[in-house]
Amino acid sequence: MIALMVKCVFSMPLVGLQKFINSIFKLAQLPLSCSHYS
């Protein structure tokens, strides 16, 4: 849900959104990853 709000605010395609969320997880040093968009 939050990811879709970020997508709308920044007008990102889904691939860009996935990379953006993964980079946030990496910066926060969280062992998580965003699921594939397809």
Side-chain angles (χ1 to χ4, degrees):
M1 183 80 173
I2 293 173
L4 293 176
M5 287 190 283
V6 170
K7 180 187 177 305
C8 289
V9 169
F10 293 108
S11 301
M12 295 181 164
L14 289 176
V15 176
L17 178 65
Q18 178 187 7
K19 291 180 181 181
F20 176 73
I21 291 174
N22 283 333
S23 68
I24 290 175
F25 288 156
K26 188 174 181 179
L27 286 171
Q29 297 178 349
L30 295 172
L32 302 171
S33 65
C34 181
S35 58
H36 198 267
Y37 64 92
S38 64

